[in-house]
Amino acid sequence: MKSERGLWGSKLGFILAASGSAIGLGNVWRFPYITGENGGAAFVLIYLVFVLLLGLPYMMAEFALGRATQLNPVGAIEKVKPGSKWKYVGLLGIITSIGILSFYGVIAGWTFGYIFKSLFDTGTPASNDFSGFISNPQYEIGLYAIFIIVTAVIVYKGVESGIEKWSKILMPLLLVLFIILIVYANLLPNSSQGIEFYLYPDFSKVGFKTIIAALGQAFFSLSLGLGLMITFGSYIPKSTNIFISALYIVLFDAIVALFAGLIIFPALFALGENPASGPSLVFIVLPKLFSQMPAGNFVGAAFFILLSIAALTSTISLLEVPVSYLVDEKNVSRKKIVWYVAFFVFIVGLPSALSQGTVKFFTNFGWLPSSLTSADFLSQMSFFFGDFLLTFGALLLCIFIGWIWGAKNAGAEIMISGDNFSKFKGTWIFLIKYLLPVIVLVILVSIFKVTGIS
Ligand code: TRP
């Protein structure tokens, strides 16, 4: 993202930057573990339906508001509806981004640590001592701190575009590595059970939790619901086709997630692991897979390097949300506020870092009912911020765009850059004004009904 309101250098530059935010641990870490916890293929199918039916049209709505107003989320809302309470939706986005960054940074720290673990843990398969790795507070907190500091330094210096240039080269590499791993994992004995789990839906496994998890994951993975794509949209020129760009971003993002599953699930069944292992799933399965491969140390290190970069482009965009809000709206110095926000995020994330076995209280936290998510603090944060508040924010923003600003205005903004949207415009307006708000509202309200929280 850029510090001044310039326009993107190229159309591809914009698509790649937005994809950089979208593609991250959400695809490679969160998608497999949530799929595993929710019984596999039926979840995947519901997730894909939500991505196309709700995620894609909603992403276009965020882009449209951003491009029409050329402002950050709070500024954009103020411009459309000055002096109204809607500006608090922007504030909700700030809170949510801090909550997400806190647990996301913990996992990004693991990813970073596993670069070295893959390289140097030659004796025992790295997988055998995941619990050792993770219950070691120095590592957990140290690695988490390093990742937050690196993110903050980049946002502080405003050198995001440098990282984005790198990620343009490195992300295709990640995809190539994925393809090699898919082939390798699917040649292992018993891997076909994994494919069955992952691709043959068994709808008897679909419960209420599956549906909320799929909805949350769809928005989370596409970086929607915080107004981040409003900010991205504010930099796109009128000639960029919002519809086609969003379609590319959504497809890239879904493909990376689907590929990650094609590695994890076959490997998991071949190696006799449990799909419902929770947040540690990919950190248990993948090192074990690497340890069986020729030159597995290097494959593993390469994999975790590329994944760390993917995570970094996402943490940068998450930290940008509160920082640019405070800079634009509160007139504080960018350089100072970056460190305050980063420090605050770090503190908020400490319980998550200690929740995978280190501290019993955080490991068995369980404030939210087990019908929604696992008991450890990290899973609870991931559900509360990454599923619940995120979709709630998306619901409000969607109502704002569809009804307050007006879906017709938004549709007209999308039309500016291309006729190919005209056949879909009616459907799009219906999705934004009616279908998305109704589906999301029904799901959110039923959380309270079904779980008895009130
Ligand atoms: N989408 C990213 C991922 O899948 C995470 C992320 C980055 C995000 N920015 C966001 C999620 C904004 C929600 C909102 O890894």
Side-chain angles (χ1 to χ4, degrees), residues 21-22 24-27 104 220-221 223-224 226 228 314 317-318 390:
S21 164
L25 297 172
N27 310 58
Y104 198 96
F220 183 92
S221 186
S223 300
L224 300 175
L226 305 185
L228 182 67
S314 301
S317 78
L318 279 163
L390 193 70

Side-chain angles (χ1 to χ4, degrees), residues 411-432:
E413 180 66 37
I414 299 171
M415 281 295 290
I416 293 177
S417 48
D419 275 350
N420 43 15
F421 177 60
S422 54
K423 330 187 238 318
F424 303 104
K425 195 168 155 202
T427 317
W428 183 82
I429 290 181
F430 168 76
L431 292 174
I432 289 296

